[in-house]
C-alpha cells in the first residue's frame, strides 16, 4: 500500500489521511502556523539538514498536502526562493460545539478556514439523541464535502482519554454524568474518526495557533458566560491537566465577603461572574442577563451593582492569573463579555491594583468570538490530532 493511501482512523467514508513521519508532521505544522515558507527557512526553523528537508518535502508533495507556491525574494541579495504552501483544500473537517441546548457546526479546510457553518437546537440533550443528531449532520455534510476527513467535537465538561478514545466524565450543561465514550459512539454512528475535547482547551489551542496568539509563547484564555473557563499556553503548547484543562478557577475565592455559590462557597468566582450569578445578584425581579446588562448601562441600581461586583471579581481573577503564571497575553472572551464592557473601568482598576507594573504590564486582549469560532476550534482539534 502506498503512503498516500494509508488511512489514520477507520472511517469507511473518510478522506484518506497519510501516515506522516514525525519530521513531515512538524513541517506541515510549521506551514500551517506560519504560512508559506521557502525550503531554506523551513530547514533552519526545523533544525533539519538540506537532505532531510528534501526528503520531508518530497513526502508532503507526493501525498498532496503541500505545493510549490509563488517565487519570493526573501532577502536583499541572493536568488529568489520558491515558497512551499499548504494545499488547504486537500482535506475538510467538521467541527461541532455542543451547548446545553444547541449544536453549532462548521466545515473547515486543512488551514481551519471556515467553508460552511450552521446551528440547530438539540432535539434532546441525552446522549443517544445527541449522537443521532451528529450522525445526521455528518451524512448531510459528506455529500457536499467528499474530502471530509474527521470530526471534532467540543463541549464544556471533563474529558479524558487518548485521541479517538475520549470519554466525557461529566458535562453539566448537557446533564451528562458518568463515563460517556463520546468519540467512540460518534465514530460508530458515522464511520469517521472523531476527536472530543473540552471546549476551552480546544479554543485555547486554536487561538494560540492563529492570529490571536501570534508572536507570543505564553497566553492565558479566560471565558465568561454560562460558566467560567480557563486555558493556558506555555512554550507554544496548551497545558492540559489530569482532567483535560489547565485548571479550574470557578471556585477560587475572589471576594471573601461576597455572595454564596450553589456549592456553598462564599465569594468565589462562580458566585459572581457567570451570567446566572449576575442575574441572581441583581435581584429576583431583574429578568434575564440581557435585561440586567441593559439596566446596568442605563442606571446605578441593583443591576449596575451586580455587574460591577462581577467586574471586581473578573479583575481579581485576571490579576491572580497574571501574578501566578505571568502570561504575555490574557485573552478574554465568551458570551458574557457584556459584563466586561459595562464594568471595564472596575476590571482595569483591580488589575492595576494587583499586578506589579499595573494594568499596562498585563496585555488584555478582548475578543468577541461567536459560537462558530468555538466550533472552528473543535475542527482545529481534529486537525491537530493528525499532526502529532
Amino acid at each position: 500500500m502506498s503512503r498516500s493511501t494509508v488511512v489514520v482512523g477507520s472511517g469507511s467514508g473518510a478522506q484518506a489521511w497519510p501516515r506522516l513521519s514525525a519530521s513531515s508532521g512538524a513541517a506541515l505544522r510549521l506551514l500551517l502556523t506560519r504560512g508559506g515558507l521557502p525550503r531554506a527557512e523551513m530547514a533552519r526553523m526545523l533544525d533539519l539538514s538540506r537532505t532531510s528537508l528534501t526528503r520531508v518535502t518530497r513526502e508532503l508533495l507526493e501525498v498532496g498536502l503541500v505545493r510549490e507556491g509563488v517565487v519570493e525574494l526573501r532577502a536583499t541579495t541572493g536568488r529568489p526562493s520558491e515558497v512551499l504552501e499548504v494545499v488547504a483544500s486537500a482535506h475538510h473537517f467538521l467541527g461541532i460545539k455542543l451547548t446545553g441546548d444547541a449544536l453549532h457546526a462548521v466545515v473547515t479546510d486543512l488551514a481551519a478556514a471556515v467553508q460552511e457553518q450552521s446551528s440547530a437546537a438539540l432535539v434532546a440533550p441525552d446522549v443517544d439523541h445527541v449522537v443521532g443528531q451528529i450522525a445526521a449532520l455528518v451524512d448531510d455534510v459528506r455529500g457536499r464535502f467528499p474530502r471530509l476527513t474527521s470530526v471534532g467535537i467540543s463541549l464544556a465538561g471533563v474529558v479524558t482519554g487518548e485521541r479517538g478514545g475520549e470519554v466525557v466524565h461529566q458535562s453539566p450543561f448537557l446533564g451528562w454524568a458518568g463515563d460517556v465514550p463520546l468519540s467512540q459512539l460518534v465514530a460508530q454512528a458515522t464511520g469517521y474518526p472523531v476527536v472530543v475535547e473540552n471546549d476551552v482547551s480546544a479554543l485555547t489551542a486554536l487561538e494560540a495557533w492563529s492570529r490571536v496568539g501570534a508572536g507570543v509563547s505564553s497566553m492565558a484564555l479566560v471565558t465568561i458566560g454560562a460558566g467560567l473557563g480557563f486555558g493556558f499556553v506555555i512554550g507554544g503548547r496548551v497545558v492540559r491537566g489530569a482532567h483535560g484543562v489547565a485548571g479550574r478557577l470557578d471556585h477560587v475565592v475572589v471576594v471573601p465577603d461576597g455572595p454564596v455559590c450553589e456549592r456553598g462557597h462564599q465569594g468565589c468566582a462562580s458566585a459572581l461572574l457567570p451570567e446566572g450569578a449576575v442575574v441572581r445578584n441583581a435581584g429576583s425581579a431583574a429578568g434575564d442577563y440581557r435585561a440586567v446588562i441593559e439596566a446596568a448601562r442605563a442606571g446605578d441600581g441593583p443591576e449596575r451593582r451586580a455587574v460591577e461586583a462581577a467586574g471586581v471579581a473578573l479583575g481579581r481573577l485576571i490579576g491572580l492569573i497574571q501574578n501566578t503564571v505571568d502570561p504575555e497575553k490574557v485573552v478574554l472572551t465568551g458570551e458574557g463579555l457584556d459584563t466586561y464592557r459595562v464594568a471595564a473601568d472596575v476590571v482595569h482598576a483591580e488589575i492595576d491594583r494587583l499586578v506589579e507594573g499595573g494594568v499596562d504590564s498585563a496585555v488584555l486582549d478582548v475578543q468577541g468570538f461567536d459560537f462558530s469560532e468555538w466550533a472552528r476550534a473543535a475542527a482545529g482539534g481534529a486537525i491537530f490530532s493528525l499532526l502529532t
Side-chain angles (χ1 to χ4, degrees):
M1 182 178 287
S2 69
R3 181 182 296 276
S4 62
T5 57
V6 176
V7 181
V8 175
S10 58
S12 58
Q15 168 79 356
W17 178 263
R19 199 181 306 278
L20 301 175
S21 67
S23 295
S24 295
L28 186 58
R29 286 198 302 275
L30 180 64
L31 290 172
L32 285 169
T33 55
R34 302 295 289 269
L37 292 168
R39 286 182 172 84
E41 210 166 319
M42 289 180 65
R44 178 179 58 79
M45 291 178 173
L46 295 167
D47 194 24
L48 292 175
S49 67
R50 181 175 297 181
T51 301
S52 295
L53 187 71
T54 298
R55 176 178 49 77
V56 165
T57 300
R58 184 185 306 115
E59 180 180 355
L60 293 173
L61 286 166
E62 285 177 354
V63 297
L65 291 176
V66 303
R67 64 187 167 209
E68 301 284 1
V70 297
V71 176
E72 291 186 3
L73 185 64
R74 306 286 286 195
T76 55
T77 60
R79 293 181 301 176
S81 301
E82 255 186 356
V83 173
L84 282 177
E85 60 186 25
V86 172
V87 182
S89 61
H91 294 266
H92 289 106
F93 301 84
L94 175 61
I96 297 169
K97 156 68 171 165
L98 294 173
T99 68
D101 58 4
L103 183 156
H104 304 277
V106 299
V107 177
T108 77
D109 61 17
L110 180 56
V114 174
Q115 308 299 301
E116 178 179 287
Q117 64 185 69
S118 63
S119 294
L122 290 179
V123 175
D126 62 277
V127 175
D128 288 345
H129 277 97
V130 170
V131 171
Q133 193 165 348
I134 291 173
L137 175 63
V138 172
D139 277 343
D140 179 53
V141 166
R142 73 202 304 178
R144 294 188 301 282
F145 295 92
R147 293 179 177 177
L148 187 65
T149 300
S150 63
V151 179
I153 302 170
S154 75
L155 72 171
V158 177
V159 180
T160 63
E162 298 298 323
R163 291 295 192 187
E166 297 90 351
V167 174
V168 179
H169 297 287
Q170 59 171 289
S171 186
F173 300 127
L174 286 164
W176 296 358
D179 296 342
V180 179
L182 187 61
S183 59
Q184 179 183 344
L185 292 173
V186 176
Q188 290 173 346
T190 64
Y192 281 80
V194 178
V195 173
V196 178
E197 192 163 12
N198 170 270
D199 55 358
V200 175
S201 290
L203 186 64
T204 303
L206 180 72
E207 301 314 322
W209 175 23
S210 67
R211 60 181 176 80
V212 172
V216 300
S217 62
S218 60
M219 183 189 84
L221 182 137
V222 177
T223 65
I224 54 175
L228 300 177
F230 172 61
F232 184 54
V233 174
I234 183 71
R237 290 185 173 273
V238 178
V239 175
R240 290 182 173 88
H243 299 95
V245 294
R248 299 191 63 175
L249 302 181
D250 315 45
H251 297 285
V252 172
V253 175
V254 287
V255 181
D257 59 348
V260 177
C261 78
E262 71 281 358
R263 294 189 183 180
H265 306 146
Q266 185 169 15
C268 70
S270 66
L272 289 147
L273 262 175
E275 293 175 350
V278 172
V279 173
R280 284 194 305 274
N281 296 335
S284 59
D288 61 12
Y289 176 72
R290 189 60 40 213
V292 171
I293 290 297
E294 292 308 314
R297 284 196 174 108
D300 59 358
E303 294 89 356
R304 181 80 188 192
R305 290 192 290 275
V307 173
E308 289 191 344
V312 169
L314 180 58
R316 292 181 181 178
L317 200 63
I318 292 171
L320 173 67
I321 293 167
Q322 194 71 31
N323 287 333
T324 303
V325 296
D326 192 26
E328 293 175 63
K329 176 186 285 191
V330 177
V331 178
L332 177 65
T333 190
E335 62 269 28
L337 268 187
D338 278 336
T339 295
Y340 168 80
R341 295 183 179 114
V342 172
D345 289 346
V346 175
V347 175
H348 290 176
E350 287 299 315
I351 297 172
D352 194 51
R353 185 177 67 84
L354 292 170
V355 177
E356 185 176 354
V359 69
D360 291 339
S361 68
V363 178
L364 183 60
D365 186 353
V366 180
Q367 295 282 346
F369 298 137
D370 60 19
F371 280 118
S372 68
E373 185 73 357
W374 292 82
R376 190 169 81 95
I383 296 169
F384 300 150
S385 72
L386 297 175
L387 302 178
T388 55

